[in-house]
Amino acid sequence: GSVTKQFTAAAIVKLEMQGKLQFTDPITKYFKGVPPDKSRITIHQLLTHSSGIPFVVGSCKQINSREEYLAMALDAPLLFEPGTKYRYSNSGYDLLAVIVELASDTSFDEYISENLFKAAGMKQTGMFVPKYNLENIAVGYRDGKRWGTVYEKLFRYDYSNRKFLDVYGFIVCGRGGGGILSTVGDMYKWHKQFDGGRVFTKAAKDKIFTPHVREAEEAGSSFYGYGWTIFSTKRNTKLIAHNGNVNDVFEADFLRYVDEDVVFIIMTNSLYLEQGAVNVSPQITKIIFDNL
């Protein structure tokens, strides 16, 4: 789910490190036919959900190419003048995934696999590149009944011929905001790589975790960095976190209490009885910090 956004943002940061783009670049540098009201949208604004692009634009089921998705996304009415407010946007991160491809001249999946996951030692993370054993893909459940795997429901995998027939547009619509598969072990490796310099410079990490935009107007609320939300806890410590959800079936929560050296990662394949990751994580937080 939306835990994917940290990888999409990380890919943009990595491209900036490689000199292939700048956060201040307007999207007109990458997309043709951008309407005038969107011509001033920057990469930074897409990263921080301050572009005005709606949460979701149109229906991915009708999308068969990157060009069709871009036309649909850029035609959507803006929610506000770019750079003036915050509004969480999956579509903004899908546009970032396209920028990753255009700036790197490779597929989104291949770029993040080679430049992020390989360096971090993550061998079971991605969309298609890991060449998963499909028997090991988690099966989701809804209301106690089998829903299926993401390959069955979202990617339309032909099990007989072992190939993708199409992906309901998911390759270009939904991947940057929520398309990555992973394991708890790999996500812990991702957490640990921030302690070293294998993937990012210190300056790059500082940009990722800077509280760029306040998520709500009231004082004391959380801030959005680049693919992460930054909170101040009641103990006056920093929490860097993000959660994600896929079709109200799969859910994940990733919390990094960086000042207190505590991290936990929860993934579930069922929200049955409301015991999803986001509901369980506050209980774990209470157990940990009430006993310190």
Side-chain angles (χ1 to χ4, degrees):
S2 288
V3 176
T4 294
K5 289 182 173 65
Q6 62 193 258
F7 300 125
T8 305
I12 292 290
V13 172
K14 189 70 174 181
L15 286 164
E16 195 268 347
M17 283 176 55
Q18 295 167 344
K20 296 181 179 180
L21 56 72
Q22 293 183 314
F23 301 123
T24 55
D25 286 344
I27 61 174
T28 52
K29 183 175 178 178
Y30 305 93
F31 308 145
K32 297 178 181 179
V34 178
D37 64 330
K38 301 176 182 70
S39 62
R40 290 181 292 173
I41 292 176
T42 65
I43 288 177
H44 170 81
Q45 290 167 352
L46 292 176
L47 286 166
T48 56
H49 300 295
S50 59
S51 68
I53 299 287
F55 175 67
V56 174
V57 293
S59 173
C60 290
K61 292 183 179 180
Q62 278 75 53
I63 301 303
N64 296 304
S65 69
R66 184 168 69 190
E67 289 69 27
E68 288 182 10
Y69 176 71
L70 288 174
M72 181 178 71
L74 295 175
D75 187 54
L78 288 176
L79 299 176
F80 49 80
E81 181 73 17
T84 61
K85 296 182 180 180
Y86 169 94
R87 186 69 64 87
Y88 192 83
S89 174
N90 275 348
S91 296
Y93 267 71
D94 293 338
L95 290 175
L96 286 170
V98 176
I99 291 174
V100 169
E101 292 191 329
L102 295 174
S104 66
D105 196 27
T106 188
S107 74
F108 175 70
D109 203 24
E110 290 170 339
Y111 182 82
I112 57 177
S113 177
E114 185 63 29
N115 290 272
L116 304 180
F117 304 147
K118 184 176 180 179
M122 300 163 66
K123 298 180 180 180
Q124 292 295 315
T125 303
M127 287 179 64
F128 308 114
V129 170
K131 307 298 182 186
Y132 295 113
N133 178 348
L134 297 181
E135 294 180 355
N136 294 335
I137 299 296
V139 175
Y141 293 84
R142 177 182 284 161
D143 297 326
K145 298 179 181 179
R146 188 186 192 280
W147 178 81
T149 70
V150 291
Y151 281 151
E152 294 168 350
K153 292 291 188 176
L154 301 178
F155 299 163
R156 283 199 67 189
Y157 190 82
D158 181 350
Y159 282 84
S160 298
N161 297 309
R162 300 186 70 82
K163 67 178 182 179
F164 293 97
L165 300 175
D166 66 51
V167 290
Y168 286 131
F170 205 75
I171 285 182
V172 292
C173 182
R175 58 187 178 152
I180 297 298
L181 286 72
S182 189
T183 66
V184 170
D186 265 14
M187 294 302 288
Y188 183 69
K189 290 177 182 178
W190 181 243
H191 158 73
K192 291 298 292 182
Q193 65 82 26
F194 285 114
D195 294 336
R198 290 174 293 170
V199 182
F200 302 107
T201 63
K202 182 183 183 302
K205 286 184 280 190
D206 288 345
K207 291 173 184 175
I208 292 172
F209 300 124
T210 293
H212 293 290
V213 174
R214 190 185 296 274
E215 290 190 310
E217 294 181 1
E218 61 268 20
S221 65
S222 56
F223 290 79
Y224 208 83
Y226 284 170
W228 292 88
T229 301
I230 296 98
F231 304 86
S232 178
T233 73
K234 63 182 180 181
R235 300 175 301 281
N236 198 31
T237 60
K238 183 183 291 186
L239 165 62
I240 300 172
H242 214 294
N243 58 44
N245 180 301
V246 178
N247 288 70
D248 292 325
V249 175
F250 297 97
E251 193 171 54
D253 209 1
F254 189 175
L255 297 95
R256 304 174 62 239
Y257 292 90
V258 292
D259 294 335
E260 296 158 299
D261 196 26
V262 170
V263 59
F264 57 90
I265 303 146
I266 308 174
M267 298 181 185
T268 181
N269 62 341
S270 174
L271 302 190
Y272 185 52
L273 298 179
E274 298 184 350
Q275 290 301 303
V278 173
N279 290 319
V280 172
S281 58
Q283 301 173 46
I284 296 177
T285 300
K286 188 174 188 299
I287 291 169
I288 293 172
F289 293 109
D290 281 3
N291 289 291
L292 289 180

